[in-house]
Amino acid sequence: MISQTIRKKTSRLDFLFQPVDNSPLILFRLIFGLLIALEAGGAIATGWVRNVFVVPAFTFNFIGFDWLQPLVGETMYAVYATMAVAGILVMLGGYYRVAVVVYGLLWIVCYLLQKSSYNNHYYLLILFCGIMAALPAHRYFSLDVKHGRATPAGSCPRWCLGVVVLQVAIVYFFAALAKVYPSWLAHEPLDIWFLAKKDYFLIGPLLQQDWLKSLVAYGGIAFDFLIVPLLLWKRTRLFAFVISVAFHLFNSAVFQIGIFPYMMIALCVFFFPPEKIRHIFFRQKTSLPEHLPAVSYSRAGMIAWVIYFAVQIYLPLRHYHYPGNVLWTEEGHRMSWRMMLKSKWGTIRFKVADPVSGDTWEVDPARYLTPKQVSKLATHPDMIWQFSRFLEQEYARQGYADVTVYAISQVSLNGSPLYPFIDEQVDLTTVDWQPFQHADWILPFDPQEK
């Protein structure tokens, strides 16, 4: 019995390490490199880098990464230009692993330096830079092969394609799970977003139709839950691909979310038979001989992948560790594929007091922040805490050594009335940020509201 179990496990491992045509991996490298180059270069060309990293006097880095702040400013132009070049090298397969690692590390720096423009696809780029760095995507149709820096190969172990499929499945599954809540089903955030787009050319009036909002709300859940199984099944694969293209192009047109929709379309190549991808895109490529032996595997590498995917499953579930509505508290919201789920806005001001002199000041954060930063600040507790510390330091520079800082904030969630958000009686300079504990100075959302 024990020997049979061992043989079964060995057989499964042989399946994962069996060589398969690497055409999907090569094609995705070409598209991925182009997209990340456009993401970085476009950030400079459109003024995004200027608006996010150069103009603001203060940026909201991830807590604990204040030491990255010296990079903020015009240095960020060089960072993004370097990433654009690295993206092109990834596409061409030139110094491939160095290029994708450089892009990934610099993108992590940019990601950690600001939260005002947080987007799930920024996090997804980090993950795929890491995944692509671990995969031999430069072994065919690359400068590395041409110049002898990489051994040419027409195959890769099956797991190289499987890890990408699994990552995509995790993204879609948790995106679908997050949408199953009353406000989304009542298309409340869609009402707000689509009303703001009523003047869009051609599609603006269409977006105001209730039937379309219901289609987007319920269709979005169905799409996220079913797209991976439908792509995996041969009989529905082509239909699912067409639906995926339509779905993501709609999101791109309506929400302008950068390269994310196009990357998700590109990832569909991993669901098609590798031979089909080779036949369409790499006709000159030599076919693989039959009955290739399995590639040897590393136990340490397998353990690393298991840990990686365990973390990927934990992160979207961690919000259950915190009390309250995650859409309200934001605790456990980032890196969890809770995409396009809420519309929040609020008002905020700060009261600063000097216990020694008795002086008090009411501070409008617009004195220090851009309008976009103020908008995000009002609805994100971690940013409110950070700005309180910023004000404490500002007044210390003016000679007030021990001021108190209170936040007066009200927030609306998905069109609800404004509710108090932060406990006005708590001096935020006296509380520490606890990343794994609920901040009890965040007031609960009105229990009578959905």
Side-chain angles (χ1 to χ4, degrees):
M1 180 66 71
I2 294 176
S3 62
Q4 288 180 344
T5 303
I6 293 174
R7 279 197 298 271
K8 286 181 180 179
K9 289 182 178 179
T10 303
S11 176
R12 293 192 193 104
L13 289 177
D14 285 346
F15 175 79
L16 290 175
F17 287 86
Q18 193 71 32
V20 295
D21 194 304
N22 63 0
S23 294
L25 184 57
I26 304 305
L27 178 59
F28 182 72
R29 186 205 80 216
L30 294 168
I31 302 172
F32 180 69
L34 175 62
L35 289 175
I36 62 176
L38 291 174
E39 178 77 15
I44 297 174
T46 61
W48 190 89
V49 173
R50 179 180 183 276
N51 293 333
V52 173
F53 291 113
V54 179
V55 171
F58 174 82
T59 62
F60 291 93
N61 56 264
F62 275 68
I63 294 173
F65 291 91
D66 309 68
W67 52 275
L68 292 173
Q69 281 293 320
L71 290 173
V72 172
E74 297 198 356
T75 305
M76 298 304 294
Y77 288 124
V79 170
Y80 273 81
T82 302
M83 287 195 293
V85 173
I88 293 172
L89 288 174
V90 170
M91 178 181 68
L92 299 176
Y95 299 99
Y96 167 73
R97 281 212 163 91
V98 173
V100 76
V101 168
V102 166
Y103 193 103
L105 291 176
L106 291 179
W107 191 263
I108 289 172
V109 168
C110 298
Y111 178 83
L112 294 175
L113 268 174
Q114 63 84 27
K115 293 181 286 191
S116 302
S117 298
Y118 176 85
N119 189 305
N120 272 282
H121 90 252
Y122 299 161
Y123 171 54
L124 189 65
L125 276 189
I126 292 174
L127 299 184
F128 271 105
C129 282
I131 289 173
M132 292 299 285
L135 303 182
H138 61 316
R139 302 287 292 276
Y140 179 78
F141 201 63
S142 71
L143 292 178
D144 284 344
V145 168
K146 181 178 180 180
H147 295 290
R149 291 189 294 268
T151 304
S155 66
C156 63
R158 193 186 304 274
W159 67 263
C160 293
L161 309 185
V163 294
V164 177
V165 170
L166 181 54
Q167 180 64 73
V168 171
I170 289 173
V171 172
Y172 277 125
F173 175 78
F174 285 108
L177 195 64
K179 289 184 175 72
V180 184
Y181 81 103
S183 287
W184 176 262
L185 297 177
H187 49 73
E188 290 175 357
L190 294 173
D191 287 338
I192 298 170
W193 298 330
F194 286 1
L195 182 62
K197 303 174 188 298
K198 64 181 179 180
D199 295 326
Y200 273 28
F201 179 66
L202 290 180
I203 62 173
L206 186 62
L207 294 176
Q208 310 313 307
Q209 302 300 313
D210 286 339
W211 66 265
L212 181 65
K213 296 173 187 175
S214 295
L215 177 64
V216 172
Y218 287 89
I221 295 174
F223 176 86
D224 288 342
F225 267 132
L226 298 176
I227 191 62
V228 169
L230 292 176
L231 284 169
L232 287 170
W233 192 24
K234 180 180 179 181
R235 292 185 178 182
T236 56
R237 184 173 294 134
L238 185 58
F239 167 76
F241 176 67
V242 172
I243 294 298
S244 180
V245 171
F247 177 86
H248 288 297
L249 290 181
F250 174 84
N251 282 341
S252 179
V254 175
F255 297 112
Q256 292 91 48
I257 46 179
I259 67 169
F260 176 74
Y262 304 97
M263 186 162 64
M264 298 308 289
I265 292 172
L267 286 164
C268 291
V269 303
F270 289 97
F271 293 87
F272 285 86
E275 297 76 17
K276 176 69 73 174
I277 301 299
R278 183 187 73 231
H279 177 73
I280 296 173
F281 295 98
F282 305 109
R283 291 198 174 194
Q284 301 302 316
K285 187 178 181 185
T286 306
S287 302
L288 290 175
E290 296 182 2
H291 308 301
L292 283 170
V295 181
S296 61
Y297 58 89
S298 161
R299 182 181 295 273
M302 291 175 58
I303 292 173
W305 281 114
V306 169
I307 294 172
Y308 169 80
F309 282 111
V311 172
Q312 289 304 304
I313 292 171
Y314 162 73
L315 288 175
L317 297 173
R318 74 189 191 282
H319 72 274
Y320 290 110
H321 170 71
Y322 304 99
N325 183 345
V326 61
L327 300 178
W328 177 258
T329 66
E330 301 285 336
E331 294 174 320
H333 186 275
R334 296 187 184 98
M335 300 179 288
S336 64
W337 313 121
R338 308 184 67 82
M339 298 177 281
M340 303 299 293
L341 290 178
K342 65 183 187 300
S343 175
K344 287 175 76 175
W345 72 276
T347 63
I348 188 166
R349 65 187 193 279
F350 292 83
K351 186 176 75 172
V352 180
D354 176 29
V356 177
S357 66
D359 294 336
T360 62
W361 304 268
E362 188 168 293
V363 179
D364 181 356
R367 285 170 47 189
Y368 301 95
L369 306 176
T370 66
K372 184 174 184 178
Q373 287 180 313
V374 174
S375 175
K376 290 289 185 179
L377 170 68
T379 59
H380 288 73
D382 57 333
M383 295 171 70
I384 292 173
W385 181 87
Q386 284 178 282
F387 192 71
S388 298
R389 293 302 174 99
F390 168 78
L391 289 177
E392 180 185 25
Q393 294 168 5
E394 279 291 294
Y395 279 85
R397 281 192 283 269
Q398 299 175 32
Y400 300 97
D402 192 24
V403 297
T404 58
V405 180
Y406 305 89
I408 300 97
S409 176
Q410 291 186 312
V411 171
S412 167
L413 174 62
N414 289 334
S416 74
L418 286 166
Y419 290 106
F421 188 45
I422 302 298
D423 189 341
E424 299 178 13
Q425 305 303 314
V426 174
D427 173 12
L428 294 177
T429 67
T430 65
V431 296
D432 294 324
W433 182 256
Q434 302 289 342
F436 304 109
Q437 295 181 20
H438 169 62
D440 55 12
W441 41 269
I442 305 173
L443 298 176
F445 191 42
D446 191 302
Q448 296 181 352
E449 290 292 318
K450 57 274 176 199

